[in-house]
mmCIF file with all atom_site columns, all heavy atoms in Angstrom:
data_model
loop_
_atom_site.group_PDB
_atom_site.id
_atom_site.type_symbol
_atom_site.label_atom_id
_atom_site.label_alt_id
_atom_site.label_comp_id
_atom_site.label_asym_id
_atom_site.label_entity_id
_atom_site.label_seq_id
_atom_site.pdbx_PDB_ins_code
_atom_site.Cartn_x
_atom_site.Cartn_y
_atom_site.Cartn_z
_atom_site.occupancy
_atom_site.B_iso_or_equiv
_atom_site.pdbx_formal_charge
_atom_site.auth_seq_id
_atom_site.auth_comp_id
_atom_site.auth_asym_id
_atom_site.auth_atom_id
_atom_site.pdbx_PDB_model_num
ATOM 1  N N   . ALA D 1 39 ? 267.136 47.938 -65.046 1.00 84.00 ? 39 ALA D N   1
ATOM 2  C CA  . ALA D 1 39 ? 268.558 47.898 -64.819 1.00 84.00 ? 39 ALA D CA  1
ATOM 3  C C   . ALA D 1 39 ? 269.151 46.479 -64.912 1.00 84.00 ? 39 ALA D C   1
ATOM 4  O O   . ALA D 1 39 ? 270.350 46.323 -65.040 1.00 84.00 ? 39 ALA D O   1
ATOM 5  C CB  . ALA D 1 39 ? 268.791 48.500 -63.342 1.00 84.00 ? 39 ALA D CB  1
ATOM 6  N N   . GLY D 1 40 ? 268.261 45.446 -64.781 1.00 87.00 ? 40 GLY D N   1
ATOM 7  C CA  . GLY D 1 40 ? 268.737 44.130 -64.942 1.00 87.00 ? 40 GLY D CA  1
ATOM 8  C C   . GLY D 1 40 ? 268.408 43.227 -63.649 1.00 87.00 ? 40 GLY D C   1
ATOM 9  O O   . GLY D 1 40 ? 268.859 42.130 -63.561 1.00 87.00 ? 40 GLY D O   1
ATOM 10 N N   . LYS D 1 41 ? 267.516 43.693 -62.800 1.00 88.00 ? 41 LYS D N   1
ATOM 11 C CA  . LYS D 1 41 ? 267.233 42.918 -61.627 1.00 88.00 ? 41 LYS D CA  1
ATOM 12 C C   . LYS D 1 41 ? 266.539 41.631 -61.912 1.00 88.00 ? 41 LYS D C   1
ATOM 13 O O   . LYS D 1 41 ? 266.914 40.541 -61.536 1.00 88.00 ? 41 LYS D O   1
ATOM 14 C CB  . LYS D 1 41 ? 266.348 43.793 -60.667 1.00 88.00 ? 41 LYS D CB  1
ATOM 15 C CG  . LYS D 1 41 ? 267.010 45.070 -60.191 1.00 88.00 ? 41 LYS D CG  1
ATOM 16 C CD  . LYS D 1 41 ? 266.149 45.750 -59.070 1.00 88.00 ? 41 LYS D CD  1
ATOM 17 C CE  . LYS D 1 41 ? 264.729 46.182 -59.505 1.00 88.00 ? 41 LYS D CE  1
ATOM 18 N NZ  . LYS D 1 41 ? 264.603 47.301 -60.449 1.00 88.00 ? 41 LYS D NZ  1
ATOM 19 N N   . THR D 1 42 ? 265.458 41.754 -62.614 1.00 87.00 ? 42 THR D N   1
ATOM 20 C CA  . THR D 1 42 ? 264.712 40.497 -63.009 1.00 87.00 ? 42 THR D CA  1
ATOM 21 C C   . THR D 1 42 ? 265.502 39.595 -63.927 1.00 87.00 ? 42 THR D C   1
ATOM 22 O O   . THR D 1 42 ? 265.412 38.357 -63.727 1.00 87.00 ? 42 THR D O   1
ATOM 23 C CB  . THR D 1 42 ? 263.351 40.936 -63.701 1.00 87.00 ? 42 THR D CB  1
ATOM 24 O OG1 . THR D 1 42 ? 262.658 41.863 -62.764 1.00 87.00 ? 42 THR D OG1 1
ATOM 25 C CG2 . THR D 1 42 ? 262.474 39.699 -63.958 1.00 87.00 ? 42 THR D CG2 1
ATOM 26 N N   . THR D 1 43 ? 266.273 40.135 -64.832 1.00 89.00 ? 43 THR D N   1
ATOM 27 C CA  . THR D 1 43 ? 267.073 39.308 -65.693 1.00 89.00 ? 43 THR D CA  1
ATOM 28 C C   . THR D 1 43 ? 268.103 38.476 -64.837 1.00 89.00 ? 43 THR D C   1
ATOM 29 O O   . THR D 1 43 ? 268.278 37.309 -65.060 1.00 89.00 ? 43 THR D O   1
ATOM 30 C CB  . THR D 1 43 ? 267.842 40.177 -66.739 1.00 89.00 ? 43 THR D CB  1
ATOM 31 O OG1 . THR D 1 43 ? 266.901 41.011 -67.359 1.00 89.00 ? 43 THR D OG1 1
ATOM 32 C CG2 . THR D 1 43 ? 268.557 39.329 -67.806 1.00 89.00 ? 43 THR D CG2 1
ATOM 33 N N   . THR D 1 44 ? 268.665 39.193 -63.801 1.00 91.00 ? 44 THR D N   1
ATOM 34 C CA  . THR D 1 44 ? 269.621 38.501 -62.919 1.00 91.00 ? 44 THR D CA  1
ATOM 35 C C   . THR D 1 44 ? 268.905 37.343 -62.151 1.00 91.00 ? 44 THR D C   1
ATOM 36 O O   . THR D 1 44 ? 269.409 36.212 -62.054 1.00 91.00 ? 44 THR D O   1
ATOM 37 C CB  . THR D 1 44 ? 270.237 39.472 -61.988 1.00 91.00 ? 44 THR D CB  1
ATOM 38 O OG1 . THR D 1 44 ? 270.857 40.520 -62.670 1.00 91.00 ? 44 THR D OG1 1
ATOM 39 C CG2 . THR D 1 44 ? 271.276 38.857 -61.098 1.00 91.00 ? 44 THR D CG2 1
ATOM 40 N N   . ILE D 1 45 ? 267.716 37.730 -61.659 1.00 90.00 ? 45 ILE D N   1
ATOM 41 C CA  . ILE D 1 45 ? 266.950 36.745 -60.883 1.00 90.00 ? 45 ILE D CA  1
ATOM 42 C C   . ILE D 1 45 ? 266.533 35.542 -61.786 1.00 90.00 ? 45 ILE D C   1
ATOM 43 O O   . ILE D 1 45 ? 266.619 34.369 -61.293 1.00 90.00 ? 45 ILE D O   1
ATOM 44 C CB  . ILE D 1 45 ? 265.751 37.423 -60.217 1.00 90.00 ? 45 ILE D CB  1
ATOM 45 C CG1 . ILE D 1 45 ? 266.215 38.272 -59.019 1.00 90.00 ? 45 ILE D CG1 1
ATOM 46 C CG2 . ILE D 1 45 ? 264.784 36.389 -59.739 1.00 90.00 ? 45 ILE D CG2 1
ATOM 47 C CD1 . ILE D 1 45 ? 265.180 38.951 -58.317 1.00 90.00 ? 45 ILE D CD1 1
ATOM 48 N N   . LYS D 1 46 ? 266.146 35.843 -62.946 1.00 89.00 ? 46 LYS D N   1
ATOM 49 C CA  . LYS D 1 46 ? 265.741 34.693 -63.849 1.00 89.00 ? 46 LYS D CA  1
ATOM 50 C C   . LYS D 1 46 ? 267.003 33.885 -64.217 1.00 89.00 ? 46 LYS D C   1
ATOM 51 O O   . LYS D 1 46 ? 266.898 32.640 -64.506 1.00 89.00 ? 46 LYS D O   1
ATOM 52 C CB  . LYS D 1 46 ? 265.040 35.265 -65.138 1.00 89.00 ? 46 LYS D CB  1
ATOM 53 C CG  . LYS D 1 46 ? 263.602 35.718 -64.680 1.00 89.00 ? 46 LYS D CG  1
ATOM 54 C CD  . LYS D 1 46 ? 262.917 35.985 -65.957 1.00 89.00 ? 46 LYS D CD  1
ATOM 55 C CE  . LYS D 1 46 ? 261.371 36.257 -65.519 1.00 89.00 ? 46 LYS D CE  1
ATOM 56 N NZ  . LYS D 1 46 ? 260.478 36.703 -66.569 1.00 89.00 ? 46 LYS D NZ  1
ATOM 57 N N   . SER D 1 47 ? 268.126 34.540 -64.324 1.00 89.00 ? 47 SER D N   1
ATOM 58 C CA  . SER D 1 47 ? 269.383 33.756 -64.643 1.00 89.00 ? 47 SER D CA  1
ATOM 59 C C   . SER D 1 47 ? 269.680 32.840 -63.434 1.00 89.00 ? 47 SER D C   1
ATOM 60 O O   . SER D 1 47 ? 270.082 31.677 -63.596 1.00 89.00 ? 47 SER D O   1
ATOM 61 C CB  . SER D 1 47 ? 270.637 34.712 -64.806 1.00 89.00 ? 47 SER D CB  1
ATOM 62 O OG  . SER D 1 47 ? 270.341 35.683 -65.827 1.00 89.00 ? 47 SER D OG  1
ATOM 63 N N   . ILE D 1 48 ? 269.446 33.358 -62.258 1.00 89.00 ? 48 ILE D N   1
ATOM 64 C CA  . ILE D 1 48 ? 269.714 32.478 -61.004 1.00 89.00 ? 48 ILE D CA  1
ATOM 65 C C   . ILE D 1 48 ? 268.786 31.269 -61.075 1.00 89.00 ? 48 ILE D C   1
ATOM 66 O O   . ILE D 1 48 ? 269.230 30.171 -60.783 1.00 89.00 ? 48 ILE D O   1
ATOM 67 C CB  . ILE D 1 48 ? 269.445 33.295 -59.679 1.00 89.00 ? 48 ILE D CB  1
ATOM 68 C CG1 . ILE D 1 48 ? 270.349 34.499 -59.578 1.00 89.00 ? 48 ILE D CG1 1
ATOM 69 C CG2 . ILE D 1 48 ? 269.460 32.351 -58.453 1.00 89.00 ? 48 ILE D CG2 1
ATOM 70 C CD1 . ILE D 1 48 ? 270.060 35.456 -58.463 1.00 89.00 ? 48 ILE D CD1 1
ATOM 71 N N   . MET D 1 49 ? 267.566 31.474 -61.467 1.00 88.00 ? 49 MET D N   1
ATOM 72 C CA  . MET D 1 49 ? 266.499 30.445 -61.490 1.00 88.00 ? 49 MET D CA  1
ATOM 73 C C   . MET D 1 49 ? 266.641 29.497 -62.783 1.00 88.00 ? 49 MET D C   1
ATOM 74 O O   . MET D 1 49 ? 265.825 28.691 -62.983 1.00 88.00 ? 49 MET D O   1
ATOM 75 C CB  . MET D 1 49 ? 265.128 31.024 -61.473 1.00 88.00 ? 49 MET D CB  1
ATOM 76 C CG  . MET D 1 49 ? 264.833 31.623 -60.115 1.00 88.00 ? 49 MET D CG  1
ATOM 77 S SD  . MET D 1 49 ? 264.906 30.532 -58.674 1.00 88.00 ? 49 MET D SD  1
ATOM 78 C CE  . MET D 1 49 ? 263.509 29.451 -59.023 1.00 88.00 ? 49 MET D CE  1
#
Side-chain angles (χ1 to χ4, degrees):
Chain D
K41 301 189 295 290
T42 304
T43 309
T44 305
I45 287 179
K46 287 192 172 174
S47 305
I48 297 171
M49 292 300 289

